[in-house]
Amino acid sequence: MQVTQAKISPLLFALLAWVFCFESKAQSLPDSIAQKTFTLNLNKVQMSDILNDISKQTGMLFSYKNATVVKLGKYSFSNKQLTLAVFCNEYLKSRDINYVFIPPNIIVLNPFKPTIPKAFTINGFVSDSASGEKLIGSNILLPKENVGVASNYEGFFSIQTHNDTLRMQISYIGYQTKSLELPISENLRLDIKLSQSLSLPIVIVTNKEDKNSLTQENGNLITLKGKKITDLSPLFGESDVFRTLQLLPGIQSVGEGAPGLFVRGGSPDQNLVLLDGIQIYNPIHIFGFYSIFNPGIVKNVALNKGSFPAKYSGRLSSVIDVITVDGNSHKIQGEAMLGIMGSRLSIDGPIGKSHKTTFMVSGRRSHIDLLLAPFLKANLSTQNAGFLTAYYFYDINAKIVHRFNKNAKITLSFYNGGDNISLNNSFKLDNLQHKIKEKDRQSFAWGNKVAAIRWGQILSSKTILKTTAWYSSYDFGNTSRYSFEETTKDSSSENFFDYRFESFIRDIGVNSDIEYFITEKWKLNGGVQFISHMFQPGVTSLTSNLPNLEPAVNITETSMGNEASVYIDNGFNVGKKIKVNLGLNYTEFLVQSKQYPSLQPRVSVMYNLNKRFIISVGYAQMQQYLHLLANSSIGIPQDLWILSSDKIMPQNNSLYNLSFKQELKFVDIGLDLFYKNMNNVIDYKDGENYLKNTNNWEDKITIGTGKAMGIELFIEKEIGRFTGWIGYCLSNSTRQFADINEGKPFLYRYNRTHDLSSTASYKINDRNTISINFIYATGTPITIPEQIYSGLSASTPTVDIFIPGKRNNFIMADYNRLDINYSNYKKNKLGIRVWSFGFYNVYNKQNPFFISPGYNDNGERVLRQVTLFPIIPSITYKQEF
């Protein structure tokens, strides 16, 4: 601070500055002061020297900080006579220096602070005008200020304007864009209702402004929006969330019977799958035809396969977040579908006259068992293996939402679904010298149950809170019945065993999340979560007439663990081209007497080089407390969920990704590179599996590391009558264990070096469309035995002894398949009806399901490929009402 001709204490200067703040308009000097004259005769001097000269001639004191006047530079005067008023206006105010007169003789100088227009906050929900359903990911734009935001998973948005006139555009895929213009003088609550653009579901996109339902901001974050989800990659007359995701690069399609998604070299357990925010352990119905997500009630799907936000924890590979509809708040509506493969019915609407409460209920069941059983029973006595004699799945969803007012609501949701499958492997040999009769019958059943209660509250124009308490369970069971009869001229024998296995998972959790919209360019998320896990790895029972297989019941010890986490996500824009997300998740896992803390940073940066070219980079650390044991040997794939313990450390990884996206006139092209290393992954030791009778499953497994790397190419055409995409992934995923394969790395069980998937849709007109899906992938590795011979084993309930070879020493045949579907739409009195006709596996490719031991016509043991599905026609009728 510089004070001329007087000593003024810092306290006095602070007081003067305080006065200045409240007297910003008091720039005029009293006439007696303003008209004081002085003469300047100076040559290239600083403003501080000029002020000193003026003070000597007028007796006025100037108070200022040196930094305030240094930037003004040097001046020269030649006997120039001025008044204080002229000098203050021409040499100070004109150079952004404000001045305030403090009687009797002090003038305070400060940099001029321009008046900042007041910011007004506009917030509210975006919803469907016909149903009241909230629209997730709506675009809210202030075109004059060139700023915009997207509505969150509740359909809520918050944005600020500095103008006294609000000009806003609101848009959503398949809906008419709404424009608003109105005066504004205070914060405003504005709930927006959008109308659907067309009455028929077929939309022919003619420009880039109206994008396809699949939005790929970059290679790591993919979003499927709205009811148009049902238009993507249909099979058997309808689309499916997971089947669509499997057509994207980096999400490998491993064929019929796969237990889940395999994302960038990871295993199925490394995907966090959420149904309305609650984790699901097995989201796939058998054979991969369908997921557990009924397409008639799905509102929004988000897949993140890169450095996902810190909000999500407990998994290593990806997050798949599926949101279902809340229900129509104006009228009862529904959808019914009848097809060869399955049928479903969904109904939703308001409860009561106030329309504050809505409901949704949906049910689905497959018809595969009814379709195939008559044909298969006739073949059970042949020398073929692996016949499907009965299989079905079902799903039941329900939800009730009550809105207390425009700021608060409570939601109750429920899901129950399951699969049942039976497999028969029969063989007969009958000649004069040798008779063999073998029967191997296996049945499997598994399913998920979820129940949740959620409270949502808008705390302010910028803040929204969501708190959820939930329950999730998963059950798996297997029954195996085997009998073998052999008769020769000299002897006869008969052996049998009956084996049962059951396992389950029980989770209870609570989480609370808060979103704070600081500005339209800066959003802060934070929250906490607690989960109590209870895992029962297995209960087995065995009965047999084999002399060294005594009846037994084995129960492995139940594992219990508590998982607590807290996170913060900070998303903001740097300038107009850079978008940054910095997140941190801290988790503690307590099991038995062991505590595992984990600090997990998440960083992603997206740079818009121009409007059509985007570069993004990401880094993340993740930790996972669950493990999935999958057998890699011949036979039907079996999976076993276990919990980390004081001996089995949690899995963790580090992920790096680099993405490029270029928008061209007709197509978008994306290129993504990823690398991740994994620690503390587990696998069965050689010769071990879940069928062996031992109480301690930890003795069966070994701990090791894994690596995955790859490059993905994605080309999408989203305008015109012909739309679709091609996805290709070149990748390598390996595992390494000291106790397996002599400690050398080997290919992961679900590694596919090349994976090509494509889907295309041609809209003939506004009522007819044809869709085609094509998949090609190199075969997956399995472990086949070096030798098989008959005998008895005290530890394994079988009459065959398998001598294992090197881990994953055999690559199954390549997988490829072509599907085609035709749909016809028509609006009738009830709503919209759709007839669909199609073929699965058009050219009848015999793709492998698993490898099974069997006999040839000479009674010799051989390994044979088991194929599930030939070409399958389908006819489906769907009616909206």
Side-chain angles (χ1 to χ4, degrees), residues 786-813:
E786 293 182 346
Q787 298 181 40
I788 303 176
Y789 62 91
S790 298
L792 300 178
S793 170
S795 59
T796 305
T798 181
V799 295
D800 289 322
I801 303 297
F802 296 87
I803 306 300
K806 292 184 178 181
R807 183 60 61 95
N808 293 343
N809 56 355
F810 179 80
I811 304 296
M812 289 200 290

PDB file of all heavy atoms in Angstrom, residues 786-813:
ATOM      1  N   GLU A 786      -5.248 -85.076 -21.117  1.00  0.00           N
ATOM      2  CA  GLU A 786      -4.306 -85.824 -21.951  1.00  0.00           C
ATOM      3  C   GLU A 786      -4.724 -87.281 -22.067  1.00  0.00           C
ATOM      4  O   GLU A 786      -4.496 -87.924 -23.092  1.00  0.00           O
ATOM      5  CB  GLU A 786      -2.899 -85.725 -21.357  1.00  0.00           C
ATOM      6  CG  GLU A 786      -2.325 -84.304 -21.427  1.00  0.00           C
ATOM      7  CD  GLU A 786      -0.920 -84.240 -20.871  1.00  0.00           C
ATOM      8  OE1 GLU A 786      -0.497 -85.222 -20.204  1.00  0.00           O
ATOM      9  OE2 GLU A 786      -0.238 -83.210 -21.077  1.00  0.00           O
ATOM     10  N   GLN A 787      -5.355 -87.798 -21.006  1.00  0.00           N
ATOM     11  CA  GLN A 787      -5.811 -89.183 -21.020  1.00  0.00           C
ATOM     12  C   GLN A 787      -7.122 -89.292 -20.252  1.00  0.00           C
ATOM     13  O   GLN A 787      -7.377 -88.529 -19.316  1.00  0.00           O
ATOM     14  CB  GLN A 787      -4.786 -90.109 -20.363  1.00  0.00           C
ATOM     15  CG  GLN A 787      -3.432 -90.165 -21.055  1.00  0.00           C
ATOM     16  CD  GLN A 787      -2.496 -91.124 -20.356  1.00  0.00           C
ATOM     17  OE1 GLN A 787      -2.895 -92.201 -19.909  1.00  0.00           O
ATOM     18  NE2 GLN A 787      -1.236 -90.722 -20.247  1.00  0.00           N
ATOM     19  N   ILE A 788      -7.956 -90.248 -20.683  1.00  0.00           N
ATOM     20  CA  ILE A 788      -9.178 -90.600 -19.960  1.00  0.00           C
ATOM     21  C   ILE A 788      -9.212 -92.112 -19.853  1.00  0.00           C
ATOM     22  O   ILE A 788      -9.064 -92.817 -20.861  1.00  0.00           O
ATOM     23  CB  ILE A 788     -10.440 -90.130 -20.708  1.00  0.00           C
ATOM     24  CG1 ILE A 788     -10.391 -88.619 -20.962  1.00  0.00           C
ATOM     25  CG2 ILE A 788     -11.691 -90.491 -19.930  1.00  0.00           C
ATOM     26  CD1 ILE A 788     -11.567 -88.110 -21.773  1.00  0.00           C
ATOM     27  N   TYR A 789      -9.367 -92.615 -18.622  1.00  0.00           N
ATOM     28  CA  TYR A 789      -9.507 -94.067 -18.481  1.00  0.00           C
ATOM     29  C   TYR A 789     -10.484 -94.367 -17.355  1.00  0.00           C
ATOM     30  O   TYR A 789     -10.724 -93.568 -16.463  1.00  0.00           O
ATOM     31  CB  TYR A 789      -8.164 -94.742 -18.239  1.00  0.00           C
ATOM     32  CG  TYR A 789      -7.462 -94.322 -16.962  1.00  0.00           C
ATOM     33  CD1 TYR A 789      -7.658 -95.024 -15.769  1.00  0.00           C
ATOM     34  CD2 TYR A 789      -6.579 -93.243 -16.949  1.00  0.00           C
ATOM     35  CE1 TYR A 789      -7.012 -94.651 -14.612  1.00  0.00           C
ATOM     36  CE2 TYR A 789      -5.924 -92.859 -15.796  1.00  0.00           C
ATOM     37  CZ  TYR A 789      -6.146 -93.577 -14.615  1.00  0.00           C
ATOM     38  OH  TYR A 789      -5.508 -93.202 -13.463  1.00  0.00           O
ATOM     39  N   SER A 790     -11.084 -95.526 -17.427  1.00  0.00           N
ATOM     40  CA  SER A 790     -12.090 -95.926 -16.452  1.00  0.00           C
ATOM     41  C   SER A 790     -11.425 -96.302 -15.141  1.00  0.00           C
ATOM     42  O   SER A 790     -10.322 -96.839 -15.097  1.00  0.00           O
ATOM     43  CB  SER A 790     -12.909 -97.106 -16.967  1.00  0.00           C
ATOM     44  OG  SER A 790     -13.592 -96.747 -18.144  1.00  0.00           O
ATOM     45  N   GLY A 791     -12.116 -96.005 -14.057  1.00  0.00           N
ATOM     46  CA  GLY A 791     -11.596 -96.319 -12.737  1.00  0.00           C
ATOM     47  C   GLY A 791     -12.459 -95.682 -11.678  1.00  0.00           C
ATOM     48  O   GLY A 791     -13.494 -95.090 -11.965  1.00  0.00           O
ATOM     49  N   LEU A 792     -12.039 -95.834 -10.446  1.00  0.00           N
ATOM     50  CA  LEU A 792     -12.765 -95.277  -9.326  1.00  0.00           C
ATOM     51  C   LEU A 792     -11.864 -94.293  -8.599  1.00  0.00           C
ATOM     52  O   LEU A 792     -10.686 -94.552  -8.395  1.00  0.00           O
ATOM     53  CB  LEU A 792     -13.220 -96.383  -8.367  1.00  0.00           C
ATOM     54  CG  LEU A 792     -14.138 -97.442  -8.973  1.00  0.00           C
ATOM     55  CD1 LEU A 792     -14.463 -98.494  -7.930  1.00  0.00           C
ATOM     56  CD2 LEU A 792     -15.418 -96.797  -9.486  1.00  0.00           C
ATOM     57  N   SER A 793     -12.432 -93.160  -8.196  1.00  0.00           N
ATOM     58  CA  SER A 793     -11.679 -92.149  -7.472  1.00  0.00           C
ATOM     59  C   SER A 793     -12.376 -91.860  -6.166  1.00  0.00           C
ATOM     60  O   SER A 793     -13.595 -91.685  -6.126  1.00  0.00           O
ATOM     61  CB  SER A 793     -11.560 -90.862  -8.293  1.00  0.00           C
ATOM     62  OG  SER A 793     -11.029 -89.824  -7.525  1.00  0.00           O
ATOM     63  N   ALA A 794     -11.602 -91.836  -5.093  1.00  0.00           N
ATOM     64  CA  ALA A 794     -12.182 -91.582  -3.773  1.00  0.00           C
ATOM     65  C   ALA A 794     -12.666 -90.149  -3.625  1.00  0.00           C
ATOM     66  O   ALA A 794     -13.485 -89.839  -2.774  1.00  0.00           O
ATOM     67  CB  ALA A 794     -11.166 -91.901  -2.678  1.00  0.00           C
ATOM     68  N   SER A 795     -12.153 -89.239  -4.434  1.00  0.00           N
ATOM     69  CA  SER A 795     -12.476 -87.822  -4.245  1.00  0.00           C
ATOM     70  C   SER A 795     -13.450 -87.287  -5.284  1.00  0.00           C
ATOM     71  O   SER A 795     -14.004 -86.214  -5.110  1.00  0.00           O
ATOM     72  CB  SER A 795     -11.194 -86.975  -4.291  1.00  0.00           C
ATOM     73  OG  SER A 795     -10.545 -87.143  -5.535  1.00  0.00           O
ATOM     74  N   THR A 796     -13.664 -87.996  -6.371  1.00  0.00           N
ATOM     75  CA  THR A 796     -14.515 -87.494  -7.438  1.00  0.00           C
ATOM     76  C   THR A 796     -15.633 -88.488  -7.732  1.00  0.00           C
ATOM     77  O   THR A 796     -15.358 -89.674  -7.955  1.00  0.00           O
ATOM     78  CB  THR A 796     -13.690 -87.275  -8.722  1.00  0.00           C
ATOM     79  OG1 THR A 796     -12.592 -86.413  -8.420  1.00  0.00           O
ATOM     80  CG2 THR A 796     -14.545 -86.637  -9.794  1.00  0.00           C
ATOM     81  N   PRO A 797     -16.896 -88.028  -7.733  1.00  0.00           N
ATOM     82  CA  PRO A 797     -18.017 -88.926  -7.971  1.00  0.00           C
ATOM     83  C   PRO A 797     -18.191 -89.248  -9.447  1.00  0.00           C
ATOM     84  O   PRO A 797     -19.098 -88.759 -10.111  1.00  0.00           O
ATOM     85  CB  PRO A 797     -19.200 -88.125  -7.435  1.00  0.00           C
ATOM     86  CG  PRO A 797     -18.803 -86.710  -7.644  1.00  0.00           C
ATOM     87  CD  PRO A 797     -17.336 -86.674  -7.429  1.00  0.00           C
ATOM     88  N   THR A 798     -17.295 -90.027  -9.997  1.00  0.00           N
ATOM     89  CA  THR A 798     -17.396 -90.416 -11.399  1.00  0.00           C
ATOM     90  C   THR A 798     -16.670 -91.742 -11.592  1.00  0.00           C
ATOM     91  O   THR A 798     -15.863 -92.152 -10.750  1.00  0.00           O
ATOM     92  CB  THR A 798     -16.778 -89.334 -12.302  1.00  0.00           C
ATOM     93  OG1 THR A 798     -16.912 -89.747 -13.655  1.00  0.00           O
ATOM     94  CG2 THR A 798     -15.318 -89.107 -11.982  1.00  0.00           C
ATOM     95  N   VAL A 799     -16.954 -92.395 -12.672  1.00  0.00           N
ATOM     96  CA  VAL A 799     -16.277 -93.660 -12.952  1.00  0.00           C
ATOM     97  C   VAL A 799     -15.167 -93.462 -13.967  1.00  0.00           C
ATOM     98  O   VAL A 799     -14.584 -94.427 -14.425  1.00  0.00           O
ATOM     99  CB  VAL A 799     -17.282 -94.708 -13.478  1.00  0.00           C
ATOM    100  CG1 VAL A 799     -18.306 -95.049 -12.416  1.00  0.00           C
ATOM    101  CG2 VAL A 799     -17.964 -94.207 -14.748  1.00  0.00           C
ATOM    102  N   ASP A 800     -14.875 -92.206 -14.339  1.00  0.00           N
ATOM    103  CA  ASP A 800     -13.792 -91.915 -15.261  1.00  0.00           C
ATOM    104  C   ASP A 800     -12.717 -91.107 -14.558  1.00  0.00           C
ATOM    105  O   ASP A 800     -13.010 -90.247 -13.731  1.00  0.00           O
ATOM    106  CB  ASP A 800     -14.288 -91.119 -16.476  1.00  0.00           C
ATOM    107  CG  ASP A 800     -15.149 -91.977 -17.393  1.00  0.00           C
ATOM    108  OD1 ASP A 800     -14.818 -93.161 -17.549  1.00  0.00           O
ATOM    109  OD2 ASP A 800     -16.140 -91.452 -17.909  1.00  0.00           O
ATOM    110  N   ILE A 801     -11.462 -91.381 -14.916  1.00  0.00           N
ATOM    111  CA  ILE A 801     -10.328 -90.631 -14.393  1.00  0.00           C
ATOM    112  C   ILE A 801      -9.778 -89.775 -15.525  1.00  0.00           C
ATOM    113  O   ILE A 801      -9.472 -90.283 -16.603  1.00  0.00           O
ATOM    114  CB  ILE A 801      -9.230 -91.568 -13.850  1.00  0.00           C
ATOM    115  CG1 ILE A 801      -9.801 -92.474 -12.769  1.00  0.00           C
ATOM    116  CG2 ILE A 801      -8.058 -90.757 -13.334  1.00  0.00           C
ATOM    117  CD1 ILE A 801     -10.311 -91.750 -11.560  1.00  0.00           C
ATOM    118  N   PHE A 802      -9.660 -88.457 -15.287  1.00  0.00           N
ATOM    119  CA  PHE A 802      -9.153 -87.531 -16.292  1.00  0.00           C
ATOM    120  C   PHE A 802      -7.759 -87.076 -15.880  1.00  0.00           C
ATOM    121  O   PHE A 802      -7.560 -86.579 -14.770  1.00  0.00           O
ATOM    122  CB  PHE A 802     -10.061 -86.307 -16.420  1.00  0.00           C
ATOM    123  CG  PHE A 802     -11.445 -86.635 -16.922  1.00  0.00           C
ATOM    124  CD1 PHE A 802     -12.455 -87.011 -16.050  1.00  0.00           C
ATOM    125  CD2 PHE A 802     -11.723 -86.578 -18.273  1.00  0.00           C
ATOM    126  CE1 PHE A 802     -13.717 -87.315 -16.514  1.00  0.00           C
ATOM    127  CE2 PHE A 802     -12.993 -86.878 -18.751  1.00  0.00           C
ATOM    128  CZ  PHE A 802     -13.986 -87.254 -17.866  1.00  0.00           C
ATOM    129  N   ILE A 803      -6.795 -87.237 -16.762  1.00  0.00           N
ATOM    130  CA  ILE A 803      -5.440 -86.739 -16.534  1.00  0.00           C
ATOM    131  C   ILE A 803      -5.333 -85.391 -17.247  1.00  0.00           C
ATOM    132  O   ILE A 803      -5.313 -85.334 -18.483  1.00  0.00           O
ATOM    133  CB  ILE A 803      -4.371 -87.711 -17.070  1.00  0.00           C
ATOM    134  CG1 ILE A 803      -4.584 -89.107 -16.481  1.00  0.00           C
ATOM    135  CG2 ILE A 803      -2.981 -87.180 -16.771  1.00  0.00           C
ATOM    136  CD1 ILE A 803      -4.499 -89.143 -14.967  1.00  0.00           C
ATOM    137  N   PRO A 804      -5.301 -84.276 -16.486  1.00  0.00           N
ATOM    138  CA  PRO A 804      -5.359 -82.966 -17.134  1.00  0.00           C
ATOM    139  C   PRO A 804      -4.092 -82.651 -17.910  1.00  0.00           C
ATOM    140  O   PRO A 804      -2.993 -83.076 -17.559  1.00  0.00           O
ATOM    141  CB  PRO A 804      -5.537 -82.007 -15.949  1.00  0.00           C
ATOM    142  CG  PRO A 804      -4.940 -82.732 -14.787  1.00  0.00           C
ATOM    143  CD  PRO A 804      -5.209 -84.190 -15.023  1.00  0.00           C
ATOM    144  N   GLY A 805      -4.280 -81.870 -18.979  1.00  0.00           N
ATOM    145  CA  GLY A 805      -3.138 -81.370 -19.731  1.00  0.00           C
ATOM    146  C   GLY A 805      -2.795 -79.966 -19.271  1.00  0.00           C
ATOM    147  O   GLY A 805      -3.224 -79.513 -18.199  1.00  0.00           O
ATOM    148  N   LYS A 806      -2.023 -79.268 -20.051  1.00  0.00           N
ATOM    149  CA  LYS A 806      -1.688 -77.891 -19.717  1.00  0.00           C
ATOM    150  C   LYS A 806      -2.953 -77.040 -19.748  1.00  0.00           C
ATOM    151  O   LYS A 806      -3.879 -77.310 -20.498  1.00  0.00           O
ATOM    152  CB  LYS A 806      -0.648 -77.347 -20.683  1.00  0.00           C
ATOM    153  CG  LYS A 806       0.723 -78.004 -20.548  1.00  0.00           C
ATOM    154  CD  LYS A 806       1.744 -77.364 -21.477  1.00  0.00           C
ATOM    155  CE  LYS A 806       3.122 -77.997 -21.285  1.00  0.00           C
ATOM    156  NZ  LYS A 806       4.142 -77.378 -22.173  1.00  0.00           N
ATOM    157  N   ARG A 807      -2.961 -75.997 -18.943  1.00  0.00           N
ATOM    158  CA  ARG A 807      -4.166 -75.180 -18.801  1.00  0.00           C
ATOM    159  C   ARG A 807      -4.510 -74.488 -20.116  1.00  0.00           C
ATOM    160  O   ARG A 807      -3.659 -73.878 -20.760  1.00  0.00           O
ATOM    161  CB  ARG A 807      -3.974 -74.151 -17.687  1.00  0.00           C
ATOM    162  CG  ARG A 807      -5.200 -73.294 -17.400  1.00  0.00           C
ATOM    163  CD  ARG A 807      -6.414 -74.146 -16.978  1.00  0.00           C
ATOM    164  NE  ARG A 807      -6.176 -74.902 -15.790  1.00  0.00           N
ATOM    165  CZ  ARG A 807      -6.509 -74.502 -14.553  1.00  0.00           C
ATOM    166  NH1 ARG A 807      -7.068 -73.324 -14.382  1.00  0.00           N
ATOM    167  NH2 ARG A 807      -6.287 -75.283 -13.525  1.00  0.00           N
ATOM    168  N   ASN A 808      -5.784 -74.620 -20.482  1.00  0.00           N
ATOM    169  CA  ASN A 808      -6.327 -74.014 -21.699  1.00  0.00           C
ATOM    170  C   ASN A 808      -5.471 -74.349 -22.924  1.00  0.00           C
ATOM    171  O   ASN A 808      -5.043 -73.482 -23.691  1.00  0.00           O
ATOM    172  CB  ASN A 808      -6.462 -72.499 -21.526  1.00  0.00           C
ATOM    173  CG  ASN A 808      -7.516 -72.132 -20.500  1.00  0.00           C
ATOM    174  OD1 ASN A 808      -8.358 -72.945 -20.137  1.00  0.00           O
ATOM    175  ND2 ASN A 808      -7.465 -70.911 -20.011  1.00  0.00           N
ATOM    176  N   ASN A 809      -5.260 -75.650 -23.088  1.00  0.00           N
ATOM    177  CA  ASN A 809      -4.373 -76.146 -24.142  1.00  0.00           C
ATOM    178  C   ASN A 809      -5.085 -76.395 -25.468  1.00  0.00           C
ATOM    179  O   ASN A 809      -4.484 -76.860 -26.424  1.00  0.00           O
ATOM    180  CB  ASN A 809      -3.691 -77.438 -23.684  1.00  0.00           C
ATOM    181  CG  ASN A 809      -4.711 -78.503 -23.281  1.00  0.00           C
ATOM    182  OD1 ASN A 809      -5.914 -78.259 -23.251  1.00  0.00           O
ATOM    183  ND2 ASN A 809      -4.223 -79.689 -22.950  1.00  0.00           N
ATOM    184  N   PHE A 810      -6.378 -76.071 -25.539  1.00  0.00           N
ATOM    185  CA  PHE A 810      -7.138 -76.363 -26.754  1.00  0.00           C
ATOM    186  C   PHE A 810      -8.039 -75.170 -27.066  1.00  0.00           C
ATOM    187  O   PHE A 810      -8.704 -74.632 -26.177  1.00  0.00           O
ATOM    188  CB  PHE A 810      -7.978 -77.626 -26.566  1.00  0.00           C
ATOM    189  CG  PHE A 810      -8.807 -78.001 -27.760  1.00  0.00           C
ATOM    190  CD1 PHE A 810      -8.241 -78.661 -28.845  1.00  0.00           C
ATOM    191  CD2 PHE A 810     -10.162 -77.688 -27.811  1.00  0.00           C
ATOM    192  CE1 PHE A 810      -9.001 -79.004 -29.942  1.00  0.00           C
ATOM    193  CE2 PHE A 810     -10.932 -78.026 -28.906  1.00  0.00           C
ATOM    194  CZ  PHE A 810     -10.345 -78.692 -29.983  1.00  0.00           C
ATOM    195  N   ILE A 811      -8.030 -74.755 -28.328  1.00  0.00           N
ATOM    196  CA  ILE A 811      -8.882 -73.653 -28.771  1.00  0.00           C
ATOM    197  C   ILE A 811     -10.087 -74.233 -29.501  1.00  0.00           C
ATOM    198  O   ILE A 811      -9.933 -74.954 -30.497  1.00  0.00           O
ATOM    199  CB  ILE A 811      -8.130 -72.688 -29.701  1.00  0.00           C
ATOM    200  CG1 ILE A 811      -6.871 -72.170 -29.025  1.00  0.00           C
ATOM    201  CG2 ILE A 811      -9.042 -71.532 -30.106  1.00  0.00           C
ATOM    202  CD1 ILE A 811      -7.114 -71.329 -27.800  1.00  0.00           C
ATOM    203  N   MET A 812     -11.265 -73.935 -28.994  1.00  0.00           N
ATOM    204  CA  MET A 812     -12.473 -74.427 -29.647  1.00  0.00           C
ATOM    205  C   MET A 812     -12.660 -73.744 -31.000  1.00  0.00           C
ATOM    206  O   MET A 812     -11.999 -72.746 -31.309  1.00  0.00           O
ATOM    207  CB  MET A 812     -13.689 -74.200 -28.749  1.00  0.00           C
ATOM    208  CG  MET A 812     -13.717 -75.100 -27.517  1.00  0.00           C
ATOM    209  SD  MET A 812     -15.350 -75.266 -26.761  1.00  0.00           S
ATOM    210  CE  MET A 812     -15.588 -73.645 -26.093  1.00  0.00           C
ATOM    211  N   ALA A 813     -13.563 -74.268 -31.777  1.00  0.00           N
ATOM    212  CA  ALA A 813     -13.794 -73.761 -33.128  1.00  0.00           C
ATOM    213  C   ALA A 813     -14.269 -72.310 -33.085  1.00  0.00           C
ATOM    214  O   ALA A 813     -14.884 -71.863 -32.108  1.00  0.00           O
ATOM    215  CB  ALA A 813     -14.828 -74.630 -33.841  1.00  0.00           C
TER     216      ALA A 813
END
